[in-house]
Amino acid sequence: MAIAPPSLCPLPKSLFPKYPSFSHQLPLRPSLPFSSQPFRFTVRASSAVAVESDLRNQQNRTVETELFSCPVCYEPLIRKGPPGLNLDAIYRSGFKCKKCNKSYSSKDVYLDLTVTAGLRSYTEVKPVRTELFRSPLVSFLYERGWRQNFNLSGFPGADEEFRMAQEYFKPAEGGTLVDVSCGSGLFSRQFAKSGTYSGVIALDFSENMLRQCNDFIKQDASVSASNIALVRADVSRLPFSSGSIDAVHAGAALHCWPSPSNAVAEISRILRSGGVFVGSTFLRYTSSTPWIVRPFRERVMQSYNYLTEEEIEELCTNSGLTNYSKKVQRSFIMFSAQKP
């Protein structure tokens, strides 16, 4: 194999009239434009090692950007910036859709991949159950007493819920996990800290929840150094390519979604074959709830999308997910389903 010399002399720009990305001041080092088109050129054997290394670096960057897609057209985004799925690399990167020409960036502590990203005049109000969690006060209180009250409805506690989810996620170990409706990152941080996954994406529609998540991450050096990214997105319009995600987690979230059916369908779309979806939520009532009590619970719970055990299973199977399983404790349910 030819060995690259210690230094490469600059080449005249006229030698590469068709490739403006080559500078006559630099030795065969392609720049990083927003284009995903590969370079095709002929080089001498003595330069092959250096060029091969540069092309491999560029190819790695392209592969990483394919994880994120435009929420408008689902075309994989092209990335300009440092590689890596971590807070610093994502913050310093710019993303662009080559199809609809829309750009996305991290102007805040998170990458905004909503359809409305970048709009100045248009505002959109979600249902009350969604808007509630965009409040700075609720975001601040969520892990400071709010979430702990869930044990009154049968939730076993964050540590036990994390252990249960990890059991379900064993087929997805080593892959990419998306924690949808992550809130302040209670579980996102645990998934990242566990080292079980190649990358963790903490995703939520609430800007303040993501800011709170970022604050918690900064307080734990082991989490801030891990492969974790913060993304703002709509669960009914997930910004990922179809079949690109290994695991999706939605802890105590389904009842807050404007349309659980659309959200579960989106989760099914982005899961790869063999990918796992694990969720937990409050039940409207259980199979053991007396019939005389059920109409009352339905009336008092109309402000949220509390579902029954049967409805949740039907949502998953209707979206193409299989191997459904569940664990129920009073009004708490954790369920799992897999993409065939």
Side-chain angles (χ1 to χ4, degrees):
M1 177 181 294
I3 305 298
S7 62
L8 298 173
C9 297
L11 298 176
K13 188 174 182 181
S14 59
L15 291 180
F16 302 96
K18 297 183 179 179
Y19 306 102
S21 294
F22 285 97
S23 170
H24 66 284
Q25 298 297 328
L26 297 175
L28 285 174
R29 189 168 299 277
S31 62
L32 293 172
F34 273 120
S35 173
S36 61
Q37 295 298 321
F39 293 99
R40 295 183 175 87
F41 50 88
T42 303
V43 296
R44 295 182 303 173
S46 61
S47 303
V49 174
V51 174
E52 181 181 359
S53 176
D54 278 343
L55 289 180
R56 188 181 298 113
N57 290 337
Q58 184 181 4
Q59 183 180 20
N60 289 341
R61 295 190 178 200
T62 303
V63 169
E64 286 184 300
T65 61
E66 290 177 354
L67 179 65
F68 294 120
S69 291
C70 174
V72 176
C73 64
Y74 291 139
E75 185 75 17
L77 296 177
I78 304 302
R79 176 176 178 177
K80 184 177 183 180
L85 189 66
N86 56 71
L87 295 179
D88 183 63
I90 296 296
Y91 181 79
R92 293 164 55 197
S93 296
F95 298 83
K96 188 173 184 179
C97 176
K98 60 183 179 182
K99 186 174 182 179
C100 64
N101 207 35
K102 184 175 174 65
S103 297
Y104 303 89
S105 62
S106 298
K107 295 182 179 179
D108 209 320
V109 298
Y110 53 83
L111 174 62
D112 193 342
L113 292 179
T114 58
V115 173
T116 57
L119 298 184
R120 297 180 180 180
S121 303
Y122 178 81
T123 57
E124 190 170 79
V125 179
K126 295 289 185 179
V128 174
R129 56 182 174 271
T130 302
E131 291 296 317
L132 175 67
F133 293 96
R134 298 179 73 183
S135 161
L137 178 61
V138 173
S139 302
F140 177 81
L141 293 176
Y142 190 74
E143 290 188 40
R144 298 177 173 90
W146 184 294
R147 185 55 164 78
Q148 288 78 352
N149 286 326
F150 288 11
N151 61 3
L152 299 176
S153 298
F155 278 68
D159 291 340
E160 178 61 16
E161 292 168 52
F162 171 71
R163 186 198 66 79
M164 294 167 64
Q166 286 287 78
E167 285 293 318
Y168 281 130
F169 280 137
K170 281 188 175 180
E173 289 182 356
T176 301
L177 180 144
V178 178
D179 189 16
V180 299
S181 299
C182 68
S184 55
L186 177 62
F187 293 104
S188 305
R189 303 194 307 273
Q190 293 193 65
F191 288 131
K193 196 172 182 177
S194 71
T196 309
Y197 310 97
S198 59
V200 173
I201 299 172
L203 183 149
D204 205 286
F205 188 75
S206 168
E207 304 91 329
N208 285 304
M209 280 293 190
L210 291 170
R211 294 186 186 109
Q212 185 63 68
C213 181
N214 183 67
D215 290 343
F216 282 132
I217 289 174
K218 288 182 177 179
Q219 295 172 19
D220 192 330
S222 62
V223 179
S224 60
S226 64
N227 288 331
I228 186 170
L230 302 181
V231 174
R232 180 172 184 251
D234 189 336
V235 70
S236 294
R237 196 91 185 163
L238 293 173
F240 304 103
S241 301
S242 298
S244 63
I245 302 299
D246 301 278
V248 175
H249 177 260
L254 188 145
H255 57 279
C256 296
W257 295 342
S259 174
S261 59
N262 286 345
V264 174
E266 268 293 88
I267 290 170
S268 177
R269 179 186 66 80
I270 69 172
L271 281 175
R272 65 165 177 81
S273 178
V276 181
F277 170 39
V278 175
S280 64
T281 187
F282 296 90
L283 291 170
R284 187 161 71 242
Y285 53 75
T286 67
S287 55
S288 61
T289 303
W291 285 95
I292 195 171
V293 178
R294 295 185 182 186
F296 171 76
R297 290 182 64 87
E298 288 182 346
R299 283 196 299 270
V300 299
M301 294 183 169
Q302 287 180 349
S303 57
Y304 285 87
N305 281 322
Y306 294 117
L307 304 178
T308 66
E309 299 173 49
E310 295 76 16
E311 288 174 326
I312 294 173
E313 181 176 1
E314 191 174 39
L315 269 183
C316 291
T317 56
N318 189 61
S319 296
L321 301 175
T322 60
N323 297 333
Y324 180 86
S325 62
K326 64 183 178 182
K327 296 178 182 178
V328 178
Q329 182 175 311
R330 296 190 310 200
S331 295
F332 163 80
I333 182 173
M334 178 173 283
F335 59 92
S336 171
Q338 195 168 20
K339 186 70 173 290

